[in-house]
Coordinates of all heavy atoms in Angstrom, one line a residue:
M1 N 0.5 19.2 15.3 CA 0.0 18.2 14.4 C 0.9 17.1 14.2 O 2.1 17.3 13.9 CB -0.4 18.9 13.1 CG -1.0 17.9 12.1 SD -1.4 18.7 10.5 CE -3.1 18.4 10.5
K2 N 0.4 15.9 14.4 CA 1.3 14.7 14.2 C 1.5 14.4 12.8 O 0.7 14.6 11.9 CB 0.5 13.5 14.8 CG 1.4 12.8 15.8 CD 0.6 11.6 16.4 CE 1.6 10.6 16.9 NZ 1.1 9.4 17.4
E3 N 2.7 13.9 12.5 CA 3.1 13.6 11.1 C 3.8 12.2 11.1 O 4.3 11.7 12.1 CB 4.1 14.6 10.6 CG 3.5 16.0 10.4 CD 4.5 17.0 9.8 OE1 5.6 16.5 9.4 OE2 4.2 18.1 9.7
L4 N 3.7 11.6 9.9 CA 4.4 10.3 9.8 C 5.9 10.5 9.9 O 6.4 11.6 9.4 CB 4.1 9.7 8.4 CG 2.6 9.2 8.2 CD1 2.4 8.8 6.8 CD2 2.3 8.1 9.2
T5 N 6.6 9.6 10.4 CA 8.1 9.6 10.4 C 8.6 9.4 9.0 O 7.9 8.9 8.2 CB 8.7 8.6 11.4 OG1 8.4 7.3 10.9 CG2 8.1 8.8 12.8
E6 N 9.9 9.7 8.8 CA 10.5 9.4 7.5 C 10.5 7.9 7.2 O 10.3 7.5 6.1 CB 12.0 10.0 7.5 CG 12.6 9.9 6.2 CD 14.0 10.6 6.2 OE1 14.2 11.6 6.8 OE2 14.9 10.0 5.5
E7 N 10.7 7.1 8.3 CA 10.7 5.7 8.1 C 9.3 5.2 7.7 O 9.2 4.3 6.8 CB 11.1 5.0 9.4 CG 11.2 3.5 9.3 CD 11.7 2.9 10.6 OE1 12.6 3.4 11.2 OE2 11.1 1.8 11.0
Q8 N 8.3 5.8 8.3 CA 6.9 5.4 7.9 C 6.6 5.8 6.5 O 5.9 5.0 5.7 CB 5.9 6.0 8.9 CG 5.9 5.4 10.3 CD 5.1 6.2 11.3 OE1 5.1 7.4 11.3 NE2 4.4 5.5 12.1
I9 N 7.0 7.0 6.1 CA 6.8 7.4 4.7 C 7.5 6.5 3.7 O 7.0 6.1 2.7 CB 7.2 8.9 4.5 CG1 6.3 9.8 5.3 CG2 7.2 9.3 3.1 CD1 6.7 11.2 5.5
K10 N 8.8 6.1 4.1 CA 9.5 5.2 3.2 C 8.8 3.9 3.1 O 8.8 3.3 2.0 CB 10.9 5.0 3.8 CG 11.8 6.1 3.5 CD 13.2 5.9 4.0 CE 14.2 7.0 3.9 NZ 15.5 6.8 4.4
R11 N 8.2 3.4 4.2 CA 7.4 2.1 4.1 C 6.2 2.3 3.2 O 6.0 1.4 2.4 CB 7.0 1.7 5.5 CG 6.1 0.5 5.6 CD 6.8 -0.7 5.1 NE 5.8 -1.8 5.1 CZ 6.1 -3.0 4.6 NH1 7.3 -3.3 4.1 NH2 5.2 -3.9 4.6
Q12 N 5.5 3.4 3.3 CA 4.3 3.6 2.4 C 4.8 3.6 1.0 O 4.2 3.0 0.1 CB 3.7 4.9 2.8 CG 2.8 4.9 4.0 CD 2.1 6.2 4.2 OE1 2.5 7.3 3.6 NE2 1.0 6.2 5.0
D13 N 5.9 4.4 0.7 CA 6.4 4.4 -0.7 C 6.8 3.0 -1.2 O 6.5 2.7 -2.3 CB 7.6 5.4 -0.8 CG 7.2 6.8 -0.6 OD1 6.0 7.2 -0.7 OD2 8.1 7.7 -0.4
S14 N 7.4 2.3 -0.3 CA 7.9 0.9 -0.7 C 6.7 0.0 -1.0 O 6.8 -0.7 -2.1 CB 8.7 0.3 0.5 OG 9.1 -1.0 0.2
V15 N 5.7 0.1 -0.2 CA 4.5 -0.8 -0.5 C 3.8 -0.3 -1.8 O 3.5 -1.2 -2.6 CB 3.5 -0.7 0.7 CG1 2.2 -1.4 0.4 CG2 4.2 -1.4 1.9
D16 N 3.6 1.0 -1.9 CA 2.9 1.4 -3.1 C 3.7 1.1 -4.4 O 3.1 0.7 -5.4 CB 2.6 2.9 -3.0 CG 1.6 3.3 -2.0 OD1 0.8 2.4 -1.7 OD2 1.5 4.4 -1.5
N17 N 5.0 1.3 -4.3 CA 5.9 1.0 -5.5 C 5.9 -0.5 -5.8 O 5.8 -0.9 -7.0 CB 7.3 1.5 -5.3 CG 7.4 3.0 -5.5 OD1 6.8 3.6 -6.3 ND2 8.1 3.6 -4.6
A18 N 5.9 -1.4 -4.8 CA 5.8 -2.8 -5.0 C 4.5 -3.2 -5.6 O 4.5 -4.1 -6.5 CB 6.1 -3.5 -3.7
V19 N 3.4 -2.6 -5.2 CA 2.1 -3.0 -5.8 C 2.1 -2.5 -7.2 O 1.7 -3.3 -8.1 CB 1.0 -2.3 -5.0 CG1 -0.3 -2.4 -5.7 CG2 0.9 -3.0 -3.6
F20 N 2.6 -1.3 -7.5 CA 2.6 -0.8 -8.9 C 3.5 -1.7 -9.8 O 3.1 -2.0 -10.9 CB 3.0 0.6 -8.9 CG 3.0 1.2 -10.3 CD1 1.7 1.4 -11.0 CD2 4.1 1.6 -11.0 CE1 1.7 2.0 -12.2 CE2 4.1 2.2 -12.2 CZ 2.8 2.3 -12.9
N21 N 4.6 -2.1 -9.3 CA 5.5 -2.9 -10.0 C 4.9 -4.3 -10.3 O 5.0 -4.8 -11.4 CB 6.9 -3.1 -9.3 CG 7.7 -1.8 -9.3 OD1 7.5 -1.0 -10.2 ND2 8.6 -1.7 -8.3
L22 N 4.1 -4.8 -9.3 CA 3.4 -6.1 -9.6 C 2.4 -5.9 -10.7 O 2.3 -6.8 -11.6 CB 2.8 -6.5 -8.3 CG 1.9 -7.8 -8.4 CD1 2.7 -9.0 -8.8 CD2 1.1 -8.0 -7.1
I23 N 1.6 -4.9 -10.6 CA 0.6 -4.6 -11.7 C 1.3 -4.5 -13.0 O 0.8 -5.1 -14.0 CB -0.2 -3.3 -11.3 CG1 -1.0 -3.6 -10.1 CG2 -1.0 -2.9 -12.5 CD1 -1.6 -2.3 -9.5
Q24 N 2.4 -3.8 -13.1 CA 3.2 -3.7 -14.4 C 3.7 -5.0 -14.8 O 3.6 -5.4 -16.0 CB 4.4 -2.7 -14.2 CG 4.0 -1.3 -13.8 CD 3.5 -0.5 -15.0 OE1 2.5 -0.9 -15.6 NE2 4.2 0.5 -15.4
E25 N 4.2 -5.8 -13.9 CA 4.8 -7.1 -14.2 C 3.7 -8.1 -14.8 O 3.9 -8.9 -15.6 CB 5.4 -7.7 -13.0 CG 6.0 -9.1 -13.2 CD 7.4 -9.0 -13.8 OE1 8.0 -7.9 -13.8 OE2 7.8 -10.0 -14.4
L26 N 2.5 -8.0 -14.2 CA 1.4 -8.9 -14.6 C 0.6 -8.4 -15.9 O -0.2 -9.2 -16.4 CB 0.4 -9.0 -13.4 CG 0.9 -9.7 -12.2 CD1 -0.1 -9.6 -11.1 CD2 1.4 -11.1 -12.5
N27 N 0.9 -7.2 -16.3 CA 0.3 -6.7 -17.5 C 0.7 -7.5 -18.7 O 1.9 -7.5 -19.1 CB 0.7 -5.2 -17.7 CG 0.0 -4.6 -19.0 OD1 -0.7 -5.3 -19.7 ND2 0.4 -3.4 -19.2
P28 N -0.3 -8.3 -19.4 CA 0.1 -9.2 -20.5 C 0.2 -8.4 -21.8 O 0.4 -9.1 -22.9 CB -1.1 -10.2 -20.5 CG -2.2 -9.4 -20.0 CD -1.7 -8.4 -19.0
T29 N 0.0 -7.1 -21.8 CA 0.0 -6.4 -23.1 C 1.1 -5.3 -23.1 O 1.9 -5.2 -22.2 CB -1.4 -5.6 -23.2 OG1 -1.4 -4.5 -22.3 CG2 -2.5 -6.5 -23.0
D30 N 1.2 -4.6 -24.2 CA 2.1 -3.5 -24.4 C 1.5 -2.2 -23.9 O 2.2 -1.2 -23.9 CB 2.6 -3.4 -25.8 CG 3.5 -4.5 -26.3 OD1 4.1 -5.2 -25.4 OD2 3.5 -4.8 -27.5
K31 N 0.2 -2.3 -23.6 CA -0.5 -1.0 -23.1 C 0.1 -0.5 -21.8 O 0.3 -1.3 -20.9 CB -2.0 -1.3 -23.0 CG -2.8 -0.1 -22.6 CD -4.3 -0.4 -22.6 CE -5.0 0.9 -22.2 NZ -6.4 0.7 -21.9
E32 N 0.4 0.8 -21.8 CA 1.0 1.4 -20.6 C -0.1 1.5 -19.5 O -1.3 1.9 -19.8 CB 1.5 2.8 -21.0 CG 2.0 3.5 -19.8 CD 2.4 5.0 -20.1 OE1 2.2 5.4 -21.2 OE2 3.0 5.6 -19.2
I33 N 0.3 1.2 -18.3 CA -0.6 1.4 -17.2 C 0.1 2.5 -16.4 O 1.2 2.4 -15.9 CB -0.7 0.1 -16.3 CG1 -1.3 -1.0 -17.1 CG2 -1.5 0.4 -15.0 CD1 -1.4 -2.4 -16.4
R34 N -0.6 3.6 -16.2 CA -0.1 4.7 -15.5 C -0.3 4.6 -14.0 O -1.2 3.9 -13.6 CB -0.8 6.0 -16.0 CG -0.4 6.3 -17.4 CD -1.1 7.6 -17.9 NE -0.7 7.8 -19.3 CZ 0.0 8.9 -19.7 NH1 0.4 9.8 -18.9 NH2 0.2 9.0 -21.0
W35 N 0.5 5.3 -13.3 CA 0.4 5.3 -11.8 C -1.0 5.8 -11.5 O -1.5 6.9 -11.9 CB 1.4 6.3 -11.2 CG 1.4 6.4 -9.8 CD1 0.6 7.2 -9.0 CD2 2.1 5.6 -8.8 NE1 0.9 7.1 -7.7 CE2 1.8 6.0 -7.5 CE3 3.0 4.6 -8.9 CZ2 2.3 5.5 -6.4 CZ3 3.6 4.1 -7.8 CH2 3.2 4.5 -6.5
D36 N -1.8 5.0 -10.7 CA -3.1 5.4 -10.3 C -3.3 5.0 -8.8 O -3.4 3.8 -8.5 CB -4.1 4.7 -11.2 CG -5.6 5.0 -10.8 OD1 -5.9 5.4 -9.6 OD2 -6.4 4.9 -11.7
I37 N -3.2 5.9 -7.9 CA -3.2 5.6 -6.5 C -4.5 4.9 -6.0 O -4.5 4.1 -5.1 CB -2.9 6.8 -5.6 CG1 -2.4 6.4 -4.2 CG2 -4.0 7.8 -5.6 CD1 -1.2 5.5 -4.1
E38 N -5.6 5.1 -6.7 CA -6.8 4.4 -6.4 C -6.7 3.0 -6.7 O -7.1 2.1 -5.9 CB -8.0 5.0 -7.2 CG -9.3 4.4 -6.8 CD -10.5 5.0 -7.6 OE1 -10.3 5.9 -8.4 OE2 -11.6 4.5 -7.4
M39 N -6.2 2.6 -7.9 CA -5.9 1.2 -8.2 C -4.9 0.6 -7.3 O -5.2 -0.5 -6.8 CB -5.4 1.2 -9.7 CG -5.0 -0.2 -10.1 SD -4.3 -0.2 -11.8 CE -2.9 0.9 -11.6
I40 N -3.9 1.3 -7.0 CA -2.8 0.8 -6.2 C -3.4 0.5 -4.8 O -3.1 -0.5 -4.1 CB -1.6 1.7 -6.1 CG1 -0.9 1.8 -7.5 CG2 -0.6 1.4 -5.0 CD1 0.0 2.9 -7.7
G41 N -4.2 1.5 -4.3 CA -4.8 1.4 -3.0 C -5.7 0.1 -2.8 O -5.7 -0.5 -1.8
E42 N -6.5 -0.1 -3.9 CA -7.4 -1.3 -3.8 C -6.6 -2.6 -3.8 O -6.9 -3.5 -3.0 CB -8.3 -1.3 -5.0 CG -9.4 -0.2 -4.9 CD -10.4 -0.2 -6.1 OE1 -10.6 -1.3 -6.6 OE2 -10.9 0.8 -6.4
V43 N -5.5 -2.7 -4.6 CA -4.7 -3.9 -4.5 C -4.0 -4.0 -3.2 O -3.9 -5.1 -2.6 CB -3.7 -3.9 -5.7 CG1 -2.7 -5.1 -5.6 CG2 -4.4 -3.9 -7.0
R44 N -3.5 -2.9 -2.7 CA -2.8 -2.8 -1.4 C -3.7 -3.3 -0.3 O -3.3 -4.1 0.6 CB -2.3 -1.4 -1.1 CG -1.5 -1.2 0.2 CD -1.2 0.2 0.4 NE -2.4 1.0 0.6 CZ -2.6 2.2 0.1 NH1 -1.7 2.7 -0.8 NH2 -3.7 2.8 0.3
D45 N -5.0 -2.9 -0.3 CA -5.9 -3.3 0.7 C -6.1 -4.8 0.7 O -6.2 -5.4 1.8 CB -7.3 -2.6 0.5 CG -7.2 -1.1 0.8 OD1 -6.2 -0.7 1.4 OD2 -8.2 -0.4 0.4
V46 N -6.1 -5.5 -0.4 CA -6.3 -6.9 -0.5 C -5.1 -7.6 0.1 O -5.2 -8.5 0.9 CB -6.6 -7.4 -1.9 CG1 -6.5 -8.9 -2.0 CG2 -7.9 -6.8 -2.4
V47 N -3.9 -7.1 -0.3 CA -2.6 -7.7 0.2 C -2.6 -7.5 1.8 O -2.2 -8.4 2.5 CB -1.4 -7.1 -0.5 CG1 -0.1 -7.6 0.2 CG2 -1.4 -7.4 -1.9
E48 N -2.9 -6.3 2.2 CA -2.9 -6.0 3.6 C -3.9 -7.0 4.4 O -3.5 -7.5 5.5 CB -3.4 -4.6 3.9 CG -3.4 -4.2 5.4 CD -3.8 -2.7 5.6 OE1 -3.4 -1.9 4.8 OE2 -4.5 -2.5 6.6
D49 N -5.1 -7.2 3.8 CA -6.0 -8.1 4.5 C -5.4 -9.5 4.6 O -5.5 -10.1 5.7 CB -7.3 -8.2 3.7 CG -8.3 -9.1 4.3 OD1 -8.7 -8.9 5.4 OD2 -8.7 -10.1 3.7
W50 N -4.7 -10.0 3.6 CA -4.1 -11.3 3.7 C -3.0 -11.3 4.8 O -2.9 -12.2 5.6 CB -3.5 -11.7 2.4 CG -4.5 -12.4 1.6 CD1 -5.4 -12.0 0.6 CD2 -4.7 -13.8 1.7 NE1 -6.1 -13.0 0.2 CE2 -5.8 -14.1 0.7 CE3 -4.2 -14.9 2.4 CZ2 -6.3 -15.4 0.6 CZ3 -4.6 -16.2 2.2 CH2 -5.7 -16.4 1.3
M51 N -2.1 -10.3 4.8 CA -1.0 -10.3 5.8 C -1.5 -10.0 7.2 O -0.9 -10.6 8.1 CB 0.0 -9.2 5.3 CG 0.7 -9.6 4.1 SD 2.2 -8.6 3.8 CE 2.9 -9.5 2.5
V52 N -2.5 -9.2 7.4 CA -2.9 -8.8 8.7 C -4.0 -9.8 9.3 O -3.8 -10.4 10.4 CB -3.5 -7.4 8.8 CG1 -4.1 -7.1 10.1 CG2 -2.4 -6.4 8.4
E53 N -5.0 -10.0 8.5 CA -6.2 -10.8 9.0 C -6.0 -12.3 8.8 O -6.3 -13.1 9.7 CB -7.5 -10.4 8.3 CG -7.8 -8.9 8.6 CD -8.0 -8.6 10.1 OE1 -8.5 -9.4 10.8 OE2 -7.7 -7.4 10.4
R54 N -5.5 -12.7 7.7 CA -5.4 -14.2 7.4 C -4.1 -14.8 7.8 O -4.1 -15.9 8.4 CB -5.7 -14.4 5.9 CG -7.1 -13.9 5.5 CD -7.3 -14.1 4.0 NE -8.6 -13.6 3.6 CZ -9.3 -14.2 2.7 NH1 -8.9 -15.3 2.1 NH2 -10.5 -13.7 2.3
L55 N -3.0 -14.2 7.4 CA -1.7 -14.8 7.8 C -1.3 -14.4 9.2 O -0.4 -15.0 9.8 CB -0.6 -14.4 6.8 CG -0.9 -14.9 5.4 CD1 0.2 -14.4 4.4 CD2 -0.9 -16.5 5.3
K56 N -1.8 -13.2 9.7 CA -1.5 -12.7 11.0 C 0.1 -12.6 11.2 O 0.6 -12.9 12.2 CB -2.1 -13.5 12.1 CG -3.6 -13.6 12.0 CD -4.2 -14.2 13.2 CE -5.7 -14.4 13.0 NZ -6.5 -13.3 12.6
I57 N 0.7 -12.0 10.2 CA 2.2 -11.8 10.3 C 2.6 -10.4 10.6 O 3.7 -10.1 10.9 CB 2.9 -12.3 9.0 CG1 2.4 -11.5 7.8 CG2 2.7 -13.8 8.8 CD1 3.2 -11.9 6.5
T58 N 1.6 -9.5 10.6 CA 1.9 -8.1 11.0 C 0.5 -7.4 11.3 O -0.5 -8.0 11.2 CB 2.6 -7.3 9.8 OG1 3.0 -6.0 10.3 CG2 1.7 -7.1 8.6
D59 N 0.6 -6.2 11.8 CA -0.6 -5.4 12.0 C -0.7 -4.4 10.9 O 0.2 -4.2 10.1 CB -0.7 -4.8 13.4 CG 0.5 -3.8 13.7 OD1 1.2 -3.5 12.7 OD2 0.7 -3.5 14.8
E60 N -1.8 -3.6 10.9 CA -2.0 -2.6 9.9 C -0.9 -1.6 9.8 O -0.4 -1.2 8.8 CB -3.4 -1.9 10.1 CG -4.6 -2.8 9.8 CD -5.9 -2.1 10.1 OE1 -5.9 -0.9 10.6 OE2 -6.9 -2.7 9.8
Q61 N -0.5 -1.1 11.0 CA 0.6 -0.1 11.1 C 1.9 -0.6 10.6 O 2.7 0.1 10.0 CB 0.7 0.4 12.5 CG -0.4 1.4 13.0 CD -0.2 2.7 12.3 OE1 0.7 3.1 11.7 NE2 -1.3 3.5 12.5
G62 N 2.1 -1.9 10.8 CA 3.4 -2.5 10.4 C 3.4 -2.7 8.9 O 4.4 -2.6 8.2
F63 N 2.2 -3.0 8.3 CA 2.1 -3.2 6.9 C 2.2 -1.8 6.1 O 2.9 -1.6 5.2 CB 0.9 -3.9 6.5 CG 0.8 -4.1 5.0 CD1 1.6 -5.0 4.3 CD2 -0.1 -3.4 4.3 CE1 1.5 -5.2 3.0 CE2 -0.2 -3.5 2.9 CZ 0.6 -4.5 2.2
Y64 N 1.3 -0.9 6.5 CA 1.2 0.4 5.9 C 0.9 1.5 6.9 O -0.3 1.7 7.3 CB 0.1 0.3 4.8 CG 0.1 1.5 3.8 CD1 1.0 1.4 2.7 CD2 -0.7 2.6 4.0 CE1 1.0 2.5 1.8 CE2 -0.6 3.6 3.0 CZ 0.2 3.6 2.0 OH 0.2 4.6 1.0
P65 N 1.9 2.1 7.5 CA 1.7 3.1 8.5 C 0.8 4.2 8.1 O 0.7 4.6 7.0 CB 3.1 3.6 8.8 CG 4.0 2.7 8.1 CD 3.3 2.0 7.0
Y66 N 0.0 4.7 9.1 CA -0.9 5.8 8.9 C -1.1 6.5 10.2 O -0.8 6.0 11.3 CB -2.3 5.3 8.4 CG -3.0 4.3 9.3 CD1 -3.8 4.7 10.3 CD2 -2.7 2.9 9.2 CE1 -4.4 3.8 11.1 CE2 -3.3 2.0 10.0 CZ -4.2 2.5 11.0 OH -4.8 1.6 11.9
L67 N -1.6 7.7 10.1 CA -2.0 8.5 11.3 C -3.4 8.2 11.7 O -4.3 8.2 10.9 CB -1.8 10.0 11.0 CG -0.4 10.5 10.7 CD1 -0.4 12.0 10.4 CD2 0.5 10.2 11.9
E68 N -3.6 7.9 13.0 CA -5.0 7.6 13.4 C -5.7 8.9 13.7 O -5.2 9.9 14.1 CB -4.9 6.8 14.7 CG -4.2 5.4 14.5 CD -4.3 4.6 15.7 OE1 -5.3 4.6 16.4 OE2 -3.3 3.8 15.9
D69 N -7.0 8.9 13.3 CA -7.9 10.1 13.6 C -8.2 10.1 15.1 O -8.6 9.1 15.7 CB -9.2 9.9 12.8 CG -9.0 10.0 11.3 OD1 -8.0 10.7 10.9 OD2 -9.8 9.5 10.6
N70 N -7.9 11.2 15.7 CA -8.2 11.4 17.1 C -9.2 12.5 17.3 O -8.9 13.6 17.7 CB -6.9 11.7 17.9 CG -6.0 10.6 17.9 OD1 -6.4 9.4 18.0 ND2 -4.7 10.9 17.9
Y71 N -10.4 12.2 17.0 CA -11.5 13.2 17.1 C -12.1 13.2 18.4 O -12.3 12.3 19.1 CB -12.6 13.0 16.0 CG -12.1 13.3 14.6 CD1 -11.8 12.2 13.8 CD2 -11.8 14.5 14.2 CE1 -11.3 12.4 12.5 CE2 -11.3 14.8 12.9 CZ -11.1 13.7 12.1 OH -10.6 13.9 10.8

């Protein structure tokens, strides 16, 4: 079974943490925002679209590595 490399996992963690930190930074209240991977994933998808499709500065794997389904 194929697995992500340590470097790919670090990249995923880095992206998810950066998105969460941005959400925290933009929060105009004192209300705590808890880690929510669904929320993080939705924001990540928008950023990925900009970097991959619009700016064309990387591909999907370069932005957020994943294992491809080989069915």
Side-chain angles (χ1 to χ4, degrees):
M1 177 181 240
K2 233 180 154 182
E3 294 182 7
L4 293 173
T5 67
E6 187 173 322
E7 184 177 317
Q8 289 172 318
I9 293 169
K10 284 181 183 179
R11 174 64 186 175
Q12 285 185 339
D13 289 345
S14 175
V15 171
D16 289 340
N17 285 318
V19 169
F20 184 66
N21 289 336
L22 174 66
I23 291 166
Q24 297 282 63
E25 182 78 22
L26 295 175
N27 180 3
T29 71
D30 291 337
K31 184 176 177 186
E32 178 184 6
I33 298 175
R34 293 179 182 244
W35 180 272
D36 181 335
I37 197 62
E38 182 179 359
M39 173 184 60
I40 292 165
E42 287 185 29
V43 174
R44 182 183 66 227
D45 289 346
V46 173
V47 175
E48 180 179 324
D49 181 60
W50 270 93
M51 292 194 171
V52 173
E53 300 299 327
R54 297 178 185 218
L55 297 174
K56 299 189 185 311
I57 58 175
T58 189
D59 61 11
E60 290 178 354
Q61 284 287 349
F63 179 74
Y64 195 83
Y66 59 90
L67 295 177
E68 296 187 35
D69 293 333
N70 293 326
Y71 294 106

